[in-house]
Amino acid sequence: VQLQASGGGSVQAGGSLRLSCVSSGTTYTINAWGWYHQAVGKERELVAAISDDGRANYRDSVKGRFTITRDDIKETVSLEMTDLTIDDTGVYYCVAELNPWEPTGPLTNFSPLTYWGQGTQVTVSS
């Protein structure tokens, strides 16, 4: 599975950005897709994820501001980010989870059995 992310950039606080991730290869093996966020000096953290049947879950810090969607025909996962804050600055990675995944309870990181795309930088300024 190959993942190609795009859509990062610079925006002022309160603004919006849309990230996209095109997948290819044996995508039928994927159980969930997600977006990780890595701020400078911090570990990568899954902030939004969607199951192969379209159910989503979010980290509390982005609930109500970020929306993850999946287009099965275009094999694309998107992350619509609104009301961005300086804390949203960092590199965002598109990730595919091979293990079974359910969007229940507080969102935690995917298992180690994942595919990763290259990161895309998001910079939010005041």
Side-chain angles (χ1 to χ4, degrees):
V1 173
Q2 294 79 45
L3 303 172
Q4 182 70 39
S6 61
S10 298
V11 65
Q12 287 191 321
S16 300
L17 280 174
R18 182 180 179 89
L19 307 182
S20 293
C21 176
V22 178
S23 57
S24 61
T26 54
T27 57
Y28 62 86
T29 62
I30 304 305
N31 288 295
W33 288 262
W35 289 92
Y36 275 71
H37 170 228
Q38 185 171 28
V40 173
K42 295 188 177 181
E43 294 185 355
R44 297 176 184 180
E45 178 180 76
L46 184 64
V47 295
I50 188 167
S51 64
D52 58 357
D53 61 357
R55 294 174 293 155
N57 199 359
Y58 301 90
R59 191 78 58 166
D60 284 348
S61 59
V62 306
K63 278 182 181 177
R65 301 189 300 119
F66 289 14
T67 302
I68 186 170
T69 56
R70 168 80 181 165
D71 185 327
D72 289 331
I73 296 176
K74 295 181 179 179
E75 295 196 280
T76 300
V77 180
S78 299
L79 185 67
E80 188 75 35
M81 305 186 293
T82 63
D83 194 20
L84 285 161
T85 72
I86 292 176
D87 290 340
D88 296 320
T89 294
V91 180
Y92 285 77
Y93 297 90
C94 175
V95 183
E97 165 69 82
L98 289 169
N99 275 330
W101 181 82
E102 288 290 325
T104 54
L107 185 63
T108 57
N109 287 346
F110 283 156
S111 79
L113 199 60
T114 51
Y115 289 104
W116 288 70
Q118 91 288 3
T120 184
Q121 175 71 39
V122 170
T123 302
V124 183
S125 59
S126 58

Coordinates of all heavy atoms in Angstrom, one line a residue, residues 61-114:
S61 N -8.8 17.0 21.3 CA -8.3 18.4 20.9 C -8.7 18.9 19.6 O -8.6 20.1 19.3 CB -6.7 18.3 21.0 OG -6.2 17.3 20.1
V62 N -9.2 18.0 18.7 CA -9.7 18.4 17.4 C -11.2 18.2 17.2 O -11.7 18.6 16.1 CB -8.9 17.7 16.3 CG1 -7.4 17.9 16.5 CG2 -9.2 16.2 16.2
K63 N -11.8 17.6 18.1 CA -13.3 17.4 17.9 C -14.0 18.7 17.7 O -13.8 19.7 18.3 CB -13.9 16.7 19.2 CG -13.6 15.2 19.2 CD -14.3 14.6 20.5 CE -14.1 13.1 20.5 NZ -14.6 12.5 21.7
G64 N -14.9 18.6 16.7 CA -15.7 19.8 16.3 C -14.9 20.7 15.4 O -15.5 21.6 14.8
R65 N -13.6 20.5 15.1 CA -12.9 21.3 14.2 C -12.3 20.6 13.0 O -12.2 21.1 11.9 CB -11.7 22.0 15.0 CG -12.1 22.8 16.2 CD -10.8 23.5 16.7 NE -9.8 22.6 17.2 CZ -8.6 22.6 16.7 NH1 -8.2 23.4 15.7 NH2 -7.7 21.8 17.2
F66 N -12.0 19.3 13.2 CA -11.5 18.5 12.1 C -12.6 17.5 11.7 O -13.3 16.9 12.5 CB -10.3 17.7 12.6 CG -9.0 18.6 12.8 CD1 -9.1 20.0 12.9 CD2 -7.8 18.0 13.0 CE1 -8.0 20.7 13.1 CE2 -6.6 18.7 13.2 CZ -6.7 20.1 13.2
T67 N -12.6 17.2 10.4 CA -13.5 16.2 9.9 C -12.7 15.3 8.9 O -12.1 15.8 8.0 CB -14.6 16.8 9.1 OG1 -15.3 17.7 10.0 CG2 -15.6 15.7 8.6
I68 N -12.7 14.0 9.2 CA -12.1 13.0 8.3 C -13.1 12.3 7.4 O -14.2 11.9 7.9 CB -11.2 12.0 9.1 CG1 -10.4 11.1 8.2 CG2 -12.1 11.2 10.0 CD1 -9.4 10.2 8.9
T69 N -12.8 12.2 6.2 CA -13.7 11.5 5.2 C -12.9 10.6 4.3 O -11.7 10.7 4.2 CB -14.5 12.5 4.4 OG1 -13.6 13.3 3.7 CG2 -15.4 13.3 5.2
R70 N -13.7 9.6 3.8 CA -13.0 8.6 2.9 C -13.8 8.5 1.6 O -15.1 8.3 1.7 CB -13.0 7.3 3.6 CG -12.6 6.1 2.7 CD -11.1 6.0 2.4 NE -10.8 4.9 1.5 CZ -9.7 4.7 0.9 NH1 -8.7 5.6 1.0 NH2 -9.5 3.6 0.1
D71 N -13.2 8.6 0.5 CA -13.9 8.4 -0.8 C -13.3 7.1 -1.4 O -12.2 7.1 -1.9 CB -13.6 9.6 -1.8 CG -14.3 9.5 -3.1 OD1 -14.5 8.4 -3.6 OD2 -14.6 10.6 -3.6
D72 N -14.1 6.1 -1.3 CA -13.7 4.8 -1.8 C -13.4 4.7 -3.3 O -12.6 4.0 -3.7 CB -14.7 3.7 -1.4 CG -14.7 3.4 0.1 OD1 -13.6 3.6 0.8 OD2 -15.7 3.1 0.7
I73 N -14.2 5.5 -4.0 CA -14.0 5.4 -5.5 C -12.7 6.1 -5.9 O -11.9 5.6 -6.7 CB -15.2 6.2 -6.2 CG1 -16.5 5.4 -5.9 CG2 -14.9 6.3 -7.7 CD1 -17.7 6.0 -6.5
K74 N -12.4 7.2 -5.3 CA -11.1 7.9 -5.5 C -10.0 7.4 -4.7 O -8.8 7.8 -4.9 CB -11.3 9.4 -5.3 CG -12.3 10.1 -6.2 CD -12.4 11.6 -6.0 CE -13.3 12.2 -6.9 NZ -13.4 13.7 -6.7
E75 N -10.3 6.5 -3.7 CA -9.3 5.9 -2.8 C -8.5 7.1 -2.1 O -7.3 7.1 -2.1 CB -8.4 5.0 -3.5 CG -9.1 3.7 -4.0 CD -8.2 2.6 -4.3 OE1 -7.6 2.6 -5.5 OE2 -8.0 1.7 -3.5
T76 N -9.3 8.0 -1.6 CA -8.7 9.2 -1.0 C -9.3 9.4 0.4 O -10.5 9.3 0.6 CB -9.0 10.4 -1.8 OG1 -8.4 10.3 -3.2 CG2 -8.4 11.7 -1.2
V77 N -8.4 9.7 1.3 CA -8.8 10.1 2.7 C -8.5 11.6 2.8 O -7.4 12.0 2.5 CB -8.1 9.3 3.8 CG1 -8.5 9.7 5.1 CG2 -8.3 7.8 3.6
S78 N -9.4 12.3 3.3 CA -9.2 13.8 3.5 C -9.4 14.2 4.9 O -10.2 13.5 5.7 CB -10.2 14.5 2.6 OG -10.0 14.2 1.2
L79 N -8.7 15.2 5.3 CA -8.9 15.8 6.6 C -9.2 17.3 6.5 O -8.3 18.1 6.0 CB -7.6 15.6 7.5 CG -7.7 16.1 8.9 CD1 -8.7 15.2 9.7 CD2 -6.4 16.1 9.6
E80 N -10.4 17.7 6.8 CA -10.8 19.1 6.7 C -10.5 19.7 8.1 O -11.1 19.2 9.1 CB -12.3 19.2 6.4 CG -12.8 20.6 6.1 CD -12.3 21.2 4.8 OE1 -12.2 20.4 3.8 OE2 -12.0 22.4 4.7
M81 N -9.7 20.7 8.1 CA -9.3 21.3 9.4 C -9.8 22.7 9.4 O -9.4 23.5 8.6 CB -7.7 21.2 9.6 CG -7.2 19.8 9.4 SD -5.4 19.8 9.8 CE -4.8 20.7 8.4
T82 N -10.5 23.1 10.4 CA -11.1 24.4 10.6 C -10.7 25.0 11.9 O -10.3 24.3 12.8 CB -12.6 24.4 10.4 OG1 -13.2 23.7 11.5 CG2 -13.0 23.8 9.1
D83 N -10.9 26.3 12.1 CA -10.6 27.0 13.3 C -9.2 26.6 13.9 O -9.1 26.2 15.0 CB -11.7 26.7 14.3 CG -11.6 27.6 15.5 OD1 -11.0 28.7 15.4 OD2 -12.2 27.3 16.6
L84 N -8.2 26.6 13.0 CA -6.9 26.1 13.3 C -6.3 27.0 14.4 O -6.5 28.3 14.4 CB -6.0 26.1 12.1 CG -6.3 24.9 11.2 CD1 -5.8 25.1 9.8 CD2 -5.7 23.6 11.7
T85 N -5.5 26.4 15.3 CA -4.8 27.1 16.3 C -3.3 26.8 16.1 O -2.8 25.9 15.4 CB -5.2 26.6 17.7 OG1 -4.7 25.3 17.9 CG2 -6.7 26.6 17.8
I86 N -2.5 27.6 16.9 CA -1.0 27.4 16.8 C -0.6 26.0 17.2 O 0.3 25.5 16.7 CB -0.3 28.5 17.7 CG1 -0.6 29.9 17.1 CG2 1.1 28.2 17.8 CD1 0.0 31.0 17.9
D87 N -1.4 25.4 18.1 CA -1.1 24.1 18.6 C -1.3 23.0 17.5 O -0.8 21.9 17.6 CB -1.9 23.7 19.8 CG -1.6 24.5 21.0 OD1 -0.4 25.0 21.1 OD2 -2.4 24.6 21.9
D88 N -2.0 23.4 16.4 CA -2.1 22.4 15.3 C -0.9 22.4 14.4 O -0.9 21.6 13.5 CB -3.4 22.8 14.5 CG -4.7 22.7 15.3 OD1 -4.8 21.7 16.1 OD2 -5.5 23.6 15.2
T89 N 0.0 23.3 14.6 CA 1.2 23.3 13.8 C 2.0 22.0 13.9 O 2.1 21.5 15.0 CB 2.1 24.5 14.2 OG1 1.4 25.7 13.9 CG2 3.4 24.5 13.5
G90 N 2.5 21.5 12.8 CA 3.3 20.3 12.8 C 3.2 19.6 11.5 O 2.7 20.1 10.5
V91 N 3.8 18.4 11.5 CA 3.7 17.5 10.4 C 2.6 16.6 10.5 O 2.4 16.0 11.6 CB 5.0 16.8 10.2 CG1 5.0 15.9 8.9 CG2 6.2 17.8 10.1
Y92 N 1.8 16.4 9.5 CA 0.7 15.5 9.5 C 1.0 14.3 8.5 O 1.4 14.5 7.4 CB -0.6 16.2 9.0 CG -1.2 17.1 10.1 CD1 -0.6 18.3 10.3 CD2 -2.2 16.7 10.9 CE1 -1.0 19.2 11.3 CE2 -2.7 17.6 11.9 CZ -2.1 18.8 12.1 OH -2.6 19.6 13.1
Y93 N 0.7 13.1 9.0 CA 1.0 11.9 8.3 C -0.3 11.1 8.1 O -1.1 10.9 9.0 CB 1.9 11.0 9.1 CG 3.3 11.6 9.3 CD1 3.6 12.3 10.5 CD2 4.4 11.3 8.5 CE1 4.8 12.9 10.7 CE2 5.6 11.9 8.7 CZ 5.8 12.6 9.8 OH 7.1 13.2 10.1
C94 N -0.5 10.7 6.9 CA -1.6 9.8 6.5 C -1.1 8.3 6.8 O 0.0 7.9 6.4 CB -1.9 9.9 5.0 SG -3.1 8.8 4.4
V95 N -2.0 7.6 7.5 CA -1.6 6.2 7.9 C -2.7 5.3 7.7 O -3.9 5.6 7.8 CB -1.3 6.3 9.5 CG1 -0.8 4.9 9.9 CG2 -0.2 7.3 9.7
A96 N -2.4 4.1 7.3 CA -3.3 3.0 7.1 C -3.1 1.9 8.1 O -2.0 1.4 8.2 CB -3.2 2.5 5.7
E97 N -4.2 1.4 8.7 CA -4.1 0.4 9.8 C -4.5 -1.0 9.2 O -5.6 -1.1 8.6 CB -5.1 0.8 10.9 CG -5.4 -0.3 11.9 CD -4.2 -0.7 12.8 OE1 -3.9 0.0 13.8 OE2 -3.5 -1.7 12.4
L98 N -3.7 -2.0 9.4 CA -4.0 -3.3 8.9 C -4.8 -4.1 9.9 O -5.5 -5.0 9.5 CB -2.7 -4.0 8.5 CG -1.9 -3.5 7.3 CD1 -0.5 -4.1 7.2 CD2 -2.7 -3.8 6.0
N99 N -4.6 -3.9 11.2 CA -5.3 -4.6 12.2 C -6.8 -4.2 12.2 O -7.1 -3.1 11.9 CB -4.6 -4.5 13.5 CG -3.5 -5.4 13.8 OD1 -3.5 -6.5 13.2 ND2 -2.5 -5.0 14.5
P100 N -7.6 -5.0 12.8 CA -9.0 -4.6 13.0 C -9.1 -3.4 13.9 O -8.3 -3.2 14.8 CB -9.7 -5.8 13.6 CG -8.8 -7.0 13.2 CD -7.4 -6.4 13.1
W101 N -10.0 -2.5 13.6 CA -10.1 -1.2 14.3 C -11.5 -0.8 14.5 O -12.3 -0.9 13.5 CB -9.3 -0.1 13.6 CG -9.3 1.2 14.3 CD1 -8.5 1.6 15.3 CD2 -10.1 2.3 14.0 NE1 -8.7 2.9 15.7 CE2 -9.8 3.4 14.9 CE3 -11.2 2.6 13.1 CZ2 -10.4 4.6 15.0 CZ3 -11.8 3.8 13.2 CH2 -11.4 4.8 14.1
E102 N -11.9 -0.4 15.7 CA -13.2 0.1 16.0 C -13.1 1.6 16.5 O -12.3 1.9 17.3 CB -13.9 -0.8 17.0 CG -14.3 -2.1 16.5 CD -15.4 -2.1 15.5 OE1 -16.3 -1.2 15.6 OE2 -15.4 -2.9 14.5
P103 N -14.0 2.4 16.0 CA -14.0 3.8 16.4 C -14.7 4.1 17.7 O -15.6 5.0 17.8 CB -14.7 4.5 15.2 CG -15.7 3.5 14.8 CD -15.0 2.2 14.9
T104 N -14.4 3.3 18.7 CA -15.1 3.5 20.0 C -14.1 3.9 21.1 O -12.9 3.7 21.0 CB -15.7 2.1 20.4 OG1 -14.7 1.1 20.4 CG2 -16.8 1.7 19.5
G105 N -14.7 4.6 22.1 CA -13.8 5.1 23.2 C -12.9 6.2 22.8 O -12.9 6.7 21.6
P106 N -12.1 6.7 23.7 CA -11.1 7.7 23.4 C -10.2 7.2 22.3 O -9.7 6.1 22.3 CB -10.4 8.0 24.7 CG -11.3 7.4 25.7 CD -12.0 6.3 25.1
L107 N -9.9 8.1 21.3 CA -9.0 7.7 20.2 C -7.6 7.5 20.7 O -7.0 8.4 21.4 CB -9.0 8.8 19.1 CG -8.2 8.5 17.9 CD1 -8.9 7.3 17.2 CD2 -8.2 9.7 16.9
T108 N -7.0 6.4 20.4 CA -5.6 6.1 20.7 C -4.9 5.8 19.4 O -5.5 5.5 18.4 CB -5.5 4.9 21.7 OG1 -6.1 3.8 21.1 CG2 -6.1 5.3 23.0
N109 N -3.6 5.7 19.5 CA -2.8 5.5 18.2 C -3.1 4.1 17.7 O -3.5 3.1 18.4 CB -1.3 5.6 18.6 CG -0.8 7.0 18.8 OD1 -1.5 7.9 18.5 ND2 0.4 7.1 19.3
F110 N -2.9 4.0 16.4 CA -3.0 2.7 15.7 C -2.0 1.7 16.2 O -1.0 2.1 16.9 CB -2.8 2.9 14.2 CG -4.0 3.5 13.5 CD1 -3.8 4.1 12.2 CD2 -5.3 3.3 13.9 CE1 -4.9 4.7 11.5 CE2 -6.4 3.9 13.2 CZ -6.1 4.6 12.0
S111 N -2.2 0.4 15.8 CA -1.2 -0.6 16.1 C 0.1 -0.4 15.3 O 0.1 0.5 14.4 CB -1.8 -2.0 15.8 OG -1.7 -2.2 14.4
P112 N 1.1 -1.1 15.6 CA 2.3 -1.0 14.8 C 2.2 -1.5 13.4 O 3.0 -1.2 12.5 CB 3.4 -1.8 15.6 CG 2.8 -1.9 17.0 CD 1.3 -1.9 16.8
L113 N 1.1 -2.3 13.1 CA 0.9 -2.9 11.8 C 0.2 -1.8 10.9 O -1.0 -1.9 10.6 CB 0.1 -4.1 11.9 CG 0.2 -5.1 10.7 CD1 1.6 -5.6 10.5 CD2 -0.8 -6.3 10.9
T114 N 1.0 -0.9 10.4 CA 0.5 0.2 9.6 C 1.4 0.6 8.4 O 2.6 0.2 8.4 CB 0.4 1.5 10.5 OG1 1.7 1.7 11.1 CG2 -0.7 1.4 11.5

